[in-house]
Amino acid sequence: MKKMVILCMTIVMMSSLFLTPVYAVEFSDLNSSHWAYEYITTLANDGVINGYTDGTYRPSGTVKRSEFIKLVISSCMPKSANINDVFTSMNHWAAGYVKVAETYGVITQGSVTIENIDQPITRLEMVKIISNADIKMKGNAQQFDKSTNFID
């Protein structure tokens, strides 16, 4: 699942991949031989991800809806934007990111609730969120074949 997230974020952040990496952020459970080391550290150095409070990234963990929405919205927002300025009534660390995603139409209003925000996200939800963010926040309109079916 983490592989899917990293690959999806790579699509969204292609410009970051062409820069010479300078690694400042380190996670205690991620070493330089990991297949996604460069991607993860680039996203961390760009402030898109920050790992967990215990200093880990958990590269083999399951991605939650809250985490994925934060990744996508962080990669689309201008560096000058402050997510803490977003008003929301939901009491959750990712509530501001959810509100921005709803405002831009990246996710459907009310589809992410306090009950499901920390549940695992499916690959289909990831693709929808990335596609919507690319179109609605970045203005990149593309036509996709809607006949593809995912079993999860």
Side-chain angles (χ1 to χ4, degrees):
M1 185 62 91
K2 284 281 185 174
K3 284 184 181 182
M4 181 66 176
V5 170
I6 298 301
L7 291 175
C8 290
M9 290 308 300
T10 301
I11 293 167
V12 174
M13 298 190 60
M14 287 302 286
S15 61
S16 296
L17 298 178
F18 298 109
L19 300 174
T20 303
V22 177
Y23 306 118
V25 176
E26 293 185 22
F27 299 107
S28 62
D29 60 345
L30 180 70
N31 62 50
S32 60
S33 63
H34 189 277
W35 73 269
Y37 178 80
E38 288 184 31
Y39 303 111
I40 294 168
T41 52
T42 297
L43 291 171
N45 288 327
D46 287 349
V48 175
I49 61 173
N50 54 7
Y52 293 91
T53 55
D54 64 359
T56 62
Y57 179 72
R58 303 176 191 169
S60 298
T62 301
V63 179
K64 298 174 187 174
R65 199 169 276 112
S66 55
E67 295 166 338
F68 191 75
I69 290 170
K70 189 247 187 209
L71 286 170
V72 173
I73 298 304
S74 294
S75 70
C76 294
M77 286 177 56
K79 297 276 185 201
S80 61
N82 185 349
I83 200 68
N84 296 322
D85 292 339
V86 177
F87 175 77
T88 178
S89 59
M90 185 187 295
N91 186 17
H92 190 276
W93 68 265
Y97 299 100
V98 170
K99 184 67 172 180
V100 170
E102 289 176 340
T103 301
Y104 280 93
V106 173
I107 60 174
T108 304
Q109 183 87 25
S111 64
V112 176
T113 65
I114 198 69
E115 290 80 21
N116 69 12
I117 194 168
D118 285 322
Q119 296 299 310
I121 189 167
T122 67
R123 290 179 294 187
L124 179 58
E125 285 177 284
M126 288 180 188
V127 170
K128 286 180 179 180
I129 289 171
I130 289 172
S131 297
N132 286 339
D134 198 40
I135 293 167
K136 296 178 180 181
M137 291 185 80
K138 291 192 168 190
N140 299 321
Q142 300 243 347
Q143 293 295 321
F144 296 100
D145 178 7
K146 295 182 181 183
S147 65
T148 303
N149 293 315
F150 293 94
I151 59 172
D152 67 347

